[in-house]
């Protein structure tokens, strides 16, 4: 038995002019969660679809749980499961009907199929909704039933493609708990996400992918250290106040405060929220009017910028994620 869950060399998929996955080398150990982090169009879904044997690579090799994805595709398929980016259960069937159907496909007979389905609904907090059609479920319930559907036969390796995109924080936490429970039972999880905080919460190690290439690998804290901590962005209302504001921030925060090209902007590297709030209070006491302030984690864009020297190709790069703002 191979010690590695996933091992690829030069794995490539090309669509016309797009090198969706452009020669990636991965060595992912068994156990735990491996995060696959990247922006829209980075190649995450394409990569995991090749690993799950749903599409055929154009070049390179990939072994999943020791088996070759092309020559031993059936063996791979019997041990892995994929929860796609878009829901795959039947909307018109109830949660219970969906899971019973899948349990039968996996060889559970009669009452055993019903029992397996009912156990999963219970474990995922969906017992009360068992007899409701899935189209009446909330987004969070949908994701839970999707994940339940992909573990009816407990897989060695589970691919989860953006399992929490579009969910509110509570539903997202529920999905995270489910993933942690699966890992505690020995399943290896490969998780794609666009969110640094999600990878942070769940992943033991992370591969960052951009334009089909792996641009960084490591633990979450290794990646963060490579990009610095968070940042406080402050824009003063009147540009004449900027120098005074800078001195106050330096005094309150005890870090260097950069002045950007924007004559009203100040940026301080910082991830301590309480200190940031004290600094803002000090600015207010000095009667410096603020046009805007924001405190954020390093964004995926900042990670990208630091790792690649170029911004992720997205139009909306002007504001950090998870920021607070005042007008
Ligand atoms: N079937 C296809 N035909 C043509 N191009 C494709 C196809 N699938 C993916 N692509 C292209 O390959 C690139 C990678 O797409 P992919 O879906 O793997 O990205 P992703 O990282 O999963 O993005 P997202 O975060 O938006 O889900 C994109 O440029 C996409 O347009
Ligand atoms: Mg995708």
């Amino acid at each position: 038995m191979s010690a590695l869950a996933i091992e690829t060399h030069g794995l490539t998929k090309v669509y016309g002019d797009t090198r969706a996955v452009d020669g990636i080398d991965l060595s992912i150990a068994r156990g735990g969660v491996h995060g696959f982090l990247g922006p829209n169009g980075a190649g995450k879904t394409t990569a995991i679809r090749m690993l799950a044997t749903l599409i055929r690579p154009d070049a390179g090799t990939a072994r999943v749980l020791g088996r070759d994805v092309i020559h031993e595709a059936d063996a791979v398929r019997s041990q892995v499961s994929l929860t796609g980016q878009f829901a795959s259960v039947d909307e018109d069937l109830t949660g219970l009907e969906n899971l019973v159907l899948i349990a039968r496909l996996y060889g559970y007979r009669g009452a055993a199929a019903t029992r397996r389905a009912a156990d999963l609904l219970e474990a995922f907090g969906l017992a009360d909704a068992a007899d409701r059609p899935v189209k009446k479920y909330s987004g969070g319930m949908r994701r839970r039933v999707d994940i339940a559907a992909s573990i009816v036969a407990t897989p060695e390796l589970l691919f989860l493609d953006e399992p929490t995109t579009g969910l509110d924080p509570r539903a997202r936490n529920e999905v995270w708990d489910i993933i942690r429970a699966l890992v505690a039972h020995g399943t290896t999880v490969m998780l794609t996400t666009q969110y640094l905080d999600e990878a942070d919460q769940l992943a033991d190690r992370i591969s960052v992918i951009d334009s089909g290439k792996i641009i960084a690998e490591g633990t979450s804290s290794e990646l963060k250290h490579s990009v610095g901590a968070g940042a406080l962005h402050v824009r003063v209302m009147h540009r004449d106040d900027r120098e005074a504001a800078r001195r106050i921030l330096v005094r309150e925060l005890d870090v260097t405060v950069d002045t950007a090209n924007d004559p009203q902007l100040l940026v301080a590297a910082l991830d301590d929220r309480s200190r940031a709030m004290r600094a803002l209070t000090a600015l207010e006491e000095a009667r410096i009017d603020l046009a805007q302030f924001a405190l954020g984690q390093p964004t995926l864009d900042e990670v990208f910028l630091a790792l690649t020297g170029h911004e992720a190709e997205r139009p909306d790069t002007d504001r950090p994620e998870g920021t607070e703002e005042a007008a």
Side-chain angles (χ1 to χ4, degrees), residues 93-283:
L93 299 182
T94 67
L96 184 66
E97 287 164 346
N98 266 296
L99 296 188
V100 167
L101 195 68
I102 295 164
R104 291 218 179 104
L105 289 174
Y106 278 112
Y108 287 87
R109 307 244 164 265
T114 311
R115 206 175 317 122
R116 178 69 184 146
D119 285 349
L120 282 167
L121 289 166
E122 181 71 40
F124 284 59
L126 292 168
D128 291 344
D131 297 321
R132 253 191 277 156
V134 168
K135 66 184 167 205
K136 297 201 172 153
Y137 284 17
S138 71
M141 294 162 77
R142 282 287 291 267
R143 287 319 267 165
R144 281 184 274 155
V145 86
D146 276 339
I147 297 173
S150 58
I151 62 163
V152 168
T154 313
E156 275 295 302
L157 174 64
L158 175 63
F159 295 100
L160 289 173
D161 198 2
E162 299 196 27
T164 69
T165 295
L167 298 187
D168 68 32
R170 183 164 153 264
R172 173 180 274 205
N173 268 304
E174 288 168 0
V175 170
W176 287 352
D177 285 344
I178 288 169
I179 296 170
R180 291 188 187 104
L182 288 170
V183 169
H185 282 92
T187 296
T188 304
V189 173
M190 177 140 184
L191 166 93
T192 79
T193 182
Q194 306 186 31
Y195 305 126
L196 193 58
D197 68 327
E198 178 155 290
D200 206 6
Q201 287 282 331
L202 292 175
D204 302 290
R205 290 184 68 78
I206 298 167
S207 302
V208 182
I209 182 168
D210 181 28
S211 304
K213 292 197 160 69
I214 303 293
I215 58 167
E217 271 178 322
T219 63
S220 156
S221 69
E222 284 165 356
L223 291 175
K224 279 194 185 157
H225 280 102
S226 75
V227 302
L232 175 68
H233 298 248
V234 171
R235 287 191 85 232
V236 294
M237 191 79 81
H238 311 289
R239 58 178 69 189
D240 295 346
D241 285 341
R242 186 167 76 160
E243 183 49 30
R246 192 188 65 77
R247 282 198 302 269
I248 291 170
L249 290 180
V250 168
R251 187 186 75 214
E252 294 295 322
L253 301 172
D254 202 20
V255 295
T256 54
V257 177
D258 296 321
T259 49
N261 288 336
D262 177 339
Q264 289 161 269
L265 186 65
L266 293 155
V267 181
L270 171 84
D271 56 3
D272 179 342
R273 250 160 217 280
S274 60
R275 284 195 100 166
M277 294 325 258
R278 276 204 300 280
L280 292 169
T281 306
L283 291 173

Side-chain angles (χ1 to χ4, degrees), residues 15 18 20 39-46 85 162 194:
Y15 291 113
T18 308
N40 287 137
K44 304 180 296 294
T45 297
T46 305
Q85 189 166 0
E162 299 196 27
Q194 306 186 31

